[in-house]
Amino acid sequence: MGEKNGREGEAERLVDEHYADVLRYCRRHAPAGLAEDAAQETFLRFVRARSRYRERGRARAYLVTIARNVCADMARDRASSWAELPEALPGGGDPGEGDDGRDLASALARLPRSQREALELRYGEGLAVGEVGVVLGMSRFAASRAISSALEALRADLGVSKGERGDVR
């Protein structure tokens, strides 16, 4: 009984600690209106596969990997594509956002999905390069190369040289 309570306590702690991150990821990748369902399904799958988690390292990286799979499953079920990102932000983007933000959003939308997702995981989710590789199912080297290629493509698209102030890193 004590072991069960300990596992349940750890599961609750992980939900409390990582739910907001998983939900944020799902809001960007799940089909419209299904982000909360995707986040819940992510934690359900995590609990079911808890024995494999101990071998994988940081819980956040493992949860994002599961969330990625859940969102992909939901997208397939809805027969929609992950590549459907707008070329420009409707209505000019967030309030107070200038033209540079719209240009960046457009430049990100033009990146190949794998590069865009690598950047999002690295900088949006704060995962280490090795963890990005785990989530995307590639080596650390391949993840690093995807991130570097994406940054170079963004620099070229936005007309920013590598040494310029305000550089995308």
Side-chain angles (χ1 to χ4, degrees), residues 92-104:
D94 295 332
E97 187 175 296
D99 289 340
D100 291 343
R102 286 190 300 276
D103 291 346
L104 178 59

Side-chain angles (χ1 to χ4, degrees), residues 5-86:
N5 287 337
R7 286 188 308 192
E8 287 175 7
E10 182 178 341
E12 285 181 28
R13 181 188 62 79
L14 288 170
V15 169
D16 289 344
E17 191 174 322
H18 299 291
Y19 186 80
D21 295 328
V22 170
L23 181 59
R24 184 176 60 243
Y25 181 88
C26 292
R27 283 185 175 143
R28 288 191 299 266
H29 294 283
L34 295 178
E36 289 81 9
D37 291 345
Q40 289 177 2
E41 178 66 18
T42 296
F43 283 96
L44 181 62
R45 289 185 188 183
F46 176 79
V47 169
R48 289 179 183 156
R50 193 171 27 211
S51 63
R52 288 180 282 183
Y53 159 65
R54 296 193 193 287
E55 303 165 9
R56 296 208 179 233
R58 285 185 44 198
R60 185 170 178 214
Y62 189 42
L63 285 165
V64 171
T65 301
I66 296 170
R68 180 176 186 250
N69 293 330
V70 167
C71 291
D73 291 347
M74 288 179 157
R76 263 191 304 279
D77 289 346
R78 281 240 178 137
S80 61
S81 170
W82 282 27
E84 294 175 8
L85 286 181

